Amino acid sequence: MRAELDGEFPRESEHLNDALCYCDMSTTPDGTPTNPIDRINEITGRYGPDSLIGKFIRRAEPEIIDCTCRVLERVAAAKRQPM
């Protein structure tokens, strides 16, 4: 449905999308720090593995991991930059 949604809801930049994913996947619903694997397991456990959300989050897991890795790589690269 991306083509239908792009007109009304254009996608943000890749960097912003990655950052938003990272933020969502590195905290629990109450704000406790976590990691993407535990967050995915928490979501699946809360909604059930056979729910629409449970199925979606498992399907999206590889991209979620990729997004969070890209953010961590960008942070590491920024730390290596001289000030």
Side-chain angles (χ1 to χ4, degrees):
M1 293 188 66
R2 176 54 40 208
E4 291 84 2
L5 295 174
D6 271 340
E8 190 169 347
F9 303 101
R11 294 192 90 168
E12 298 295 336
S13 73
E14 178 186 4
H15 294 302
L16 179 57
N17 284 335
D18 285 354
L20 292 170
C21 178
Y22 175 82
C23 290
D24 185 37
M25 293 294 118
S26 62
T27 56
T28 63
D30 67 1
T32 303
T34 190
N35 64 70
I37 299 298
D38 288 345
R39 178 75 166 117
I40 290 166
N41 289 334
E42 181 272 320
I43 292 168
T44 304
R46 186 164 20 117
Y47 290 97
D50 295 325
S51 70
L52 179 63
I53 293 171
K55 289 177 184 177
F56 169 80
I57 201 73
R58 288 293 176 194
R59 184 175 170 198
E61 185 171 5
E63 180 58 23
I64 290 168
I65 300 302
D66 288 349
C67 284
T68 57
C69 286
R70 287 190 297 265
V71 169
L72 293 173
E73 289 167 359
R74 288 183 194 117
V75 168
K79 287 181 178 180
R80 290 190 297 269
Q81 296 293 327
M83 296 191 121

